[in-house]
Amino acid sequence: MTRTQAPRSSPSRTSPSHLLPTEEPLALLRPDGTPVEGSPLVMPADDVLVELYRRMVVGRRFDTQATALTRQGRLAVYPSSRGQEACEIAPVLALRPDDWLFPTYRDSVALVSRGIDPAQTLTLLQGGWHLGYDPYEHRVGPQCTPLATNTLHAVGFAHAARLKGEDTAALVLLGDGATSEGDTHEALNFAGVWQAPVVFLVQNNGYAISVPLDKQTAAPTLAHKGIGYGVPSVLVDGNDAAAVYAVVRDALRTGGPTLIEALTYRIEAHTNADDATRYRTSDEVAAWLARDPVDRLSAYLTARGLLDERTKDDVAREAETFAAAVRAALNVDVEPDPADLFEHVYATMPAHLRAQAEFLREESA
Amino acid sequence: MTVSMAGALNKALADALDADPTVLVFGEDVGPLGGVFRVTDGLAARFGDRRVFDTPLAESGIVGTAIGMAMNGLRPVVEMQFDAFAYPAFEQITSHLAKLRNRTRGAVSLPVVIRVPYGGGIGGVEHHCDSSEAYYTHTPGLRVVTPGTPDDAYRLLRAAIDSPDPVIFLEPKRRYWSKGPLTDESLAFDRAVVRRPGADVTLIAYGPMVATALETAEAAEEEGWDVEVVDLRSLAPFDDDTVCASVVKTGRAVVVHEASGFGGYGAEVVARVTERCFHHLHAPVLRVTGFDIPYPPPKLEEFHLPGVDRILDTIGRLQWDDEVVAARRG
């Protein structure tokens, strides 16, 4: 790179059409599990599809277990991702080992699928600490509670990889509401200018807590937001795990940014503290239940002879065992150590925190 | 070697870029232009546009991507161009930059330096003259430092870049062109320094007010007051030891800053000094600050900014023994 470059001819100035998403969401499977004819996507390998099914079943069981633990007071709060399993599991499976994931608070199922111990995944929501896992151990950024701020971390991380000559991409998860936040726009713009290898996966589940999409944006789709930043955009059926896997895998390998909008639905309320009946109808929920991502893949795999009753039973048992382990881990009372309050505020504890730690130690003695 | 503060900062950046290949400098206009104050002058040409580069005009984006880069092993030094223009980055600074080490129990270290030219006195229009230190010092996890001399500017910035913790580096922009010697002295990163010894009263200042405090101390000699000037340098963490040793010695203290007084940084200093040195004080600890107003337009700023006369008047209210002072005046 030199400082005296000729003016860059931006591809978006000459042919913006390649940045636009398709009119209809890309899909590989119809809601009934039959294959879509003529899809431009490449169907993932059989073993990948079976693995997607297995992880979605286990992930859903984890989600219902966490919801139950919230009702028992074991978790302070739990934002369910039930119904969004294809968006949680498929992208994680599509990541290469060196790639990084930057999740939000709703993506516990994705974290479990990345291999993080479920108790560590739930530490934030259980209230034990703000984060339960080591990001470097799993190549997973801290779960982000403020909306859209993680998009910039992902862009910076991916750009740093590029500067260091590493072939590492970042996948950042965000919701439909987060696309209205300024940071999403700054992140898309930086990613476009830098051509950073980062994939923005918007899980459009229809509502930002209670606010529906038509009050969130006037854009034809959220994927259209990429065009203004020179970022190619993809619209995908977010309840089709095979399609989500295919588009994320391809996007991670472009070496540049991609914005993916995955159309899905959150079957439960925003969190256990929310009453979804105040803003949506049971008919709407029923319609989305008929588009269930697990049933869809199950039907396809069964028709293909890749999934029999015995395998389904095995997976169901595995899910139960997993849930039992989650229950056991979360039902242990852990005494918090007040000294933790003062650790890791700075690399080395400054004098005023040493004094406050000593004060608290004497006070609690 | 005598340099301007801007020159000292430029040298600090160049030396840091030279010493450590993971150091990056980026922000708005820091590339070929060399920054609107020329603090990054020549760096892009010398180190190339992979190390020193311009970004889109988006402060949250600059800080947010710096966080991601630091997570991936780099040491970003970013510029906010002007104090009030940093506010769009406030969420990234307070919710993430300051907290990620703590949230991850030490797993994530964010050696990010945010350079913020701050304060008034340059005839700037609105949004170019804020003193925003209290917003940052109120946030645990951040180090907040500000140099009062070119020598400190060099050494503080090198220390900030070496720091494993995020640093808000406040540059007193009206002192960019003031000159002074560069020394080889080492600098303890979180230590205040006695700039001028004195016996009767401690003036506690930082950043742009250090020079004003020293000027005041000279003028105070004629009034019969022997003024000690303490330059805080590190606003957070706060160096209680150096400040209290001075106040215990003098028995009187005045805190000076440009920012508004109400809820301001000086209130913290007064509280700390009072709590620790109460029995050594001959008078209440007083503050000289900017008024509790939005920063005024350039033609009015001279009335707002604390100057020598206002500080001298305040020193005069510290319950002096008139006979002793009269004898000193001769």
Side-chain angles (χ1 to χ4, degrees):
Chain A
M1 291 161 88
T2 62
R3 287 181 55 218
T4 49
Q5 286 169 326
R8 193 168 61 99
S9 66
S10 165
S12 60
R13 277 195 195 135
T14 49
S15 58
S17 58
H18 81 282
L19 300 172
L20 279 170
T22 50
E23 294 230 344
E24 292 299 314
L26 295 174
L28 281 162
L29 300 176
R30 292 198 185 84
D32 64 2
T34 55
V36 172
E37 299 298 327
S39 171
L41 301 177
V42 178
M43 183 66 84
D46 291 348
D47 60 335
V48 170
L49 294 172
V50 173
E51 182 64 8
L52 283 173
Y53 168 80
R54 189 186 73 78
R55 291 196 193 199
M56 286 202 292
V57 171
V58 175
R60 174 167 295 181
R61 185 64 188 88
F62 168 83
D63 196 85
T64 54
Q65 183 59 64
T67 301
L69 285 164
T70 312
R71 292 200 190 96
Q72 293 156 23
R74 283 284 168 186
L75 299 181
V77 66
Y78 183 73
S80 169
S81 60
R82 191 179 149 215
Q84 301 180 212
E85 286 85 357
C87 298
E88 293 283 301
I89 302 293
V92 169
L93 206 57
L95 289 169
R96 299 164 301 179
D98 285 348
D99 292 337
W100 271 64
L101 174 68
F102 288 83
T104 76
Y105 58 87
R106 194 179 298 287
D107 301 316
S108 297
V109 168
L111 300 193
V112 169
S113 191
R114 184 71 169 163
I116 299 177
D117 176 82
Q120 289 183 0
T121 297
L122 292 172
T123 299
L124 167 73
L125 301 163
Q126 178 250 351
W129 195 251
H130 307 304
L131 192 75
Y133 56 90
D134 179 342
Y136 292 100
E137 189 185 341
H138 304 281
R139 295 189 172 84
V140 176
Q143 267 181 300
C144 200
T145 308
L147 296 187
T149 49
N150 59 337
T151 58
L152 285 164
H153 304 165
V155 172
F157 196 97
H159 188 55
R162 171 72 58 76
L163 290 173
K164 295 197 296 181
E166 295 166 354
D167 181 28
T168 301
L171 170 74
V172 57
L173 301 176
L174 60 156
D176 40 297
T179 65
S180 298
E181 293 276 7
D183 275 0
T184 298
H185 300 267
E186 295 194 17
L188 284 166
N189 191 42
F190 273 68
V193 171
W194 287 344
Q195 284 299 296
V198 57
V199 178
F200 301 81
L201 179 67
V202 180
Q203 297 185 55
N204 177 1
N205 65 18
Y207 295 88
I209 304 187
S210 71
V211 178
L213 193 70
D214 62 1
K215 288 194 167 62
Q216 199 68 245
T217 182
T221 73
L222 296 175
H224 277 81
K225 289 174 185 280
I227 190 170
Y229 304 105
V231 173
S233 303
V234 179
L235 183 64
V236 66
D237 185 330
N239 281 18
D240 178 351
V244 174
Y245 177 89
V247 297
V248 171
R249 180 196 53 197
D250 291 349
L252 286 167
R253 284 153 180 75
T254 63
T258 308
L259 170 64
I260 299 170
E261 177 187 0
L263 291 167
T264 185
Y265 196 78
R266 137 166 78 73
I267 297 299
E268 302 289 341
H270 167 64
T271 69
N272 54 296
D274 171 36
D275 176 8
T277 62
R278 294 173 74 106
Y279 53 85
R280 62 188 198 186
T281 64
S282 54
D283 284 353
E284 181 180 298
V285 179
W288 277 96
L289 281 169
R291 300 172 56 86
D292 185 81
V294 182
D295 292 349
R296 185 184 307 197
L297 186 58
S298 171
Y300 174 75
L301 291 173
T302 304
R304 288 270 321 278
L306 296 167
L307 188 64
D308 56 20
E309 286 306 313
R310 214 187 81 189
T311 312
K312 282 169 99 167
D313 288 347
D314 287 349
V315 171
R317 255 196 309 279
E318 182 192 344
E320 283 310 316
T321 306
F322 194 85
V326 172
R327 270 197 311 277
L330 270 293
N331 278 327
V332 175
D333 287 316
V334 180
E335 277 298 307
D337 182 355
D340 278 354
L341 291 172
F342 305 98
E343 293 293 333
H344 310 305
V345 182
Y346 299 89
T348 312
M349 198 183 292
H352 71 284
L353 289 187
R354 282 201 306 274
Q356 289 172 21
E358 178 63 15
F359 170 82
L360 181 63
R361 199 186 60 76
E362 287 174 7
E363 191 184 57
S364 20
Chain B
M1 175 180 182
T2 297
V3 294
S4 67
M5 186 179 282
L9 293 166
N10 180 271
K11 180 172 162 50
L13 291 170
D15 289 353
L17 284 159
D18 227 7
D20 182 350
T22 66
V23 173
L24 301 179
V25 171
F26 59 94
E28 297 152 29
D29 303 311
V30 302
L33 178 68
V36 290
F37 293 104
R38 304 295 180 267
V39 171
T40 56
D41 193 25
L43 298 180
R46 182 170 158 197
F47 294 98
D49 63 6
R50 295 175 78 87
R51 305 277 313 276
V52 180
F53 51 90
D54 289 324
T55 64
L57 202 168
E59 288 77 10
S60 187
I62 292 168
V63 176
T65 54
I67 290 170
M69 290 189 209
M71 283 182 71
N72 203 353
L74 301 180
R75 301 182 92 86
V77 184
V78 304
E79 179 176 308
M80 288 286 104
Q81 200 163 93
F82 284 96
D83 33 62
F85 295 166
Y87 299 151
F90 197 70
E91 182 186 21
Q92 287 289 352
I93 294 171
T94 55
S95 291
H96 299 296
L97 185 65
K99 290 179 180 166
L100 266 173
R101 175 186 295 284
N102 187 246
R103 278 162 65 195
T104 62
R105 294 187 196 243
V108 172
S109 186
L110 295 180
V112 175
V113 178
I114 300 182
R115 296 180 37 242
V116 187
Y118 84 118
I122 62 160
V125 294
E126 63 172 347
H127 310 304
H128 290 70
C129 300
D130 278 24
S131 294
S132 39
E133 61 268 27
Y135 300 128
Y136 303 118
T137 56
H138 190 62
T139 304
L142 298 177
R143 284 175 173 273
V144 184
V145 301
T146 177
T149 68
D151 194 38
D152 269 14
Y154 176 83
R155 293 181 299 149
L156 263 187
L157 186 50
R158 290 299 304 272
I161 295 169
D162 288 343
S163 167
D165 293 313
V167 180
I168 306 295
F169 193 90
L170 299 170
E171 299 175 0
K173 66 172 91 78
R174 70 159 133 156
R175 306 296 180 200
Y176 271 143
W177 305 280
S178 65
K179 293 194 168 175
L182 278 189
T183 71
D184 293 330
E185 289 169 38
S186 66
L187 174 145
F189 194 31
D190 48 6
R191 281 274 169 257
V193 62
V194 175
R195 284 274 167 229
R196 179 194 197 276
D200 297 335
V201 54
T202 300
L203 262 187
I204 301 167
Y206 55 86
M209 278 292 129
V210 171
T212 309
L214 290 168
E215 209 182 319
T216 304
E218 295 297 318
E221 276 185 17
E222 294 173 22
E223 305 286 335
W225 300 316
D226 187 13
V227 175
E228 178 151 307
V229 175
V230 173
D231 175 357
L232 292 179
R233 294 201 291 215
S234 172
L235 305 186
F238 185 82
D239 178 6
D240 291 291
D241 293 345
T242 303
V243 172
C244 288
S246 174
V247 176
V248 165
K249 183 177 81 172
T250 62
R252 293 179 175 84
V254 174
V255 187
V256 189
H257 62 59
E258 284 187 21
S260 304
F262 189 86
Y265 185 75
E268 177 66 29
V269 179
V270 172
R272 298 183 85 83
V273 169
T274 306
E275 285 167 0
R276 285 165 180 74
C277 313
F278 181 74
H279 295 292
H280 300 272
L281 289 170
H282 305 310
V285 183
L286 299 180
R287 287 176 291 168
V288 186
T289 71
F291 296 117
D292 296 327
I293 55 169
Y295 195 86
K299 289 182 178 172
L300 287 166
E301 68 178 347
E302 65 172 300
F303 302 106
H304 171 69
L305 292 171
V308 171
D309 289 345
R310 196 180 292 164
I311 302 170
L312 281 176
D313 288 348
T314 305
I315 292 173
R317 291 193 281 120
L318 290 174
Q319 302 183 18
W320 299 93
D321 182 329
D322 291 340
E323 288 179 19
V324 173
V325 174
R328 292 258 192 90
R329 281 176 187 154

